[in-house]
Structures are given as C-alpha cells and as structure tokens.
Amino acid sequence: MRLYTLILIIVLAWLQHQLWFGKNGLVEYRQRSEAVARQQADNQQLKERNQLLYKEIDDLKSGLEVIEELARNDLGYIKPDETFYRVLPKEARGATPAAKGN
C-alpha cells in the first residue's frame, strides 16, 4: 500500500510540474497572454494613426484649403499682396538693448 501511495504522489507531483512549468504550461500561457495584450494595444494605436492618415488623404483629394495650409506651414508660402509678420517669443529674440535713459 505504501508503494502505491508513493507512486501516486510522484505521478501527481510530475503532473503538477508539467502543468505549471512544462511546455505550454501556465507560466508560458501567462507570458503569451501579456504579449498578445501588448500587441493588441500597439495595433490599436496603429489603426488610429492610419485613420488620421486616411482622413488627411481624403482632405487632400477633395479640397484646396488643406493643400494651402500644408504649403504655408511646411514650406512658408505667402500669397501675392499678403503681408507676413513674424512674431518671435522672448527667448528667441536674443539680447535686447537696455532701456534708454540709464
């Protein structure tokens, strides 16, 4: 009877080891689940970015306002008879002259 009990305990321990640490065990399952969740989050971000790109493509195909905006922002185009004013922030102005009358 003791021999059968010992054999059953050994078989049970071996099965538990296989369940937790063996090939396709719970540890590997958890790692795969986390990898799938990360990949799904990455895919969702890429889908949102693609939607924005498709929207911009549609705007470029349908209207001239978007083309004009891109040309003004990226290439610095100015329309004829238009006055361009460049406003610099304080940090970019450099050293300003001191107030007169010191």
Side-chain angles (χ1 to χ4, degrees), residues 57-68:
I57 289 170
D58 289 340
D59 287 343
L60 287 172
K61 287 181 179 178
S62 65
L64 295 176
E65 292 94 16
V66 176
I67 295 172
E68 181 180 339

Side-chain angles (χ1 to χ4, degrees), residues 45-61:
Q45 289 177 344
L46 292 174
K47 283 180 184 179
E48 291 171 1
R49 188 192 73 177
N50 286 346
Q51 290 300 324
L52 290 173
L53 290 174
Y54 286 134
K55 184 179 178 196
E56 186 173 344
I57 289 170
D58 289 340
D59 287 343
L60 287 172
K61 287 181 179 178

Side-chain angles (χ1 to χ4, degrees), residues 80-93:
D81 299 326
E82 191 176 56
T83 304
F84 175 76
Y85 294 98
R86 184 174 180 185
V87 179
L88 297 175
K90 281 187 175 183
E91 297 84 30
R93 289 184 196 162

Side-chain angles (χ1 to χ4, degrees), residues 3-69:
L3 182 63
Y4 293 120
T5 306
L6 181 62
I7 291 173
L8 288 176
I9 290 174
I10 290 172
V11 169
L12 180 64
W14 179 76
L15 288 173
Q16 284 294 314
H17 182 270
Q18 290 298 317
L19 173 67
W20 288 95
F21 305 109
K23 183 178 180 183
N24 298 324
L26 293 177
V27 173
E28 189 174 332
Y29 171 75
R30 180 174 292 152
Q31 291 171 347
R32 297 284 184 244
S33 295
E34 290 171 359
V36 167
R38 282 192 306 268
Q39 188 64 45
Q40 286 175 340
D42 291 344
N43 288 347
Q44 184 62 33
Q45 289 177 344
L46 292 174
K47 283 180 184 179
E48 291 171 1
R49 188 192 73 177
N50 286 346
Q51 290 300 324
L52 290 173
L53 290 174
Y54 286 134
K55 184 179 178 196
E56 186 173 344
I57 289 170
D58 289 340
D59 287 343
L60 287 172
K61 287 181 179 178
S62 65
L64 295 176
E65 292 94 16
V66 176
I67 295 172
E68 181 180 339
E69 179 183 345

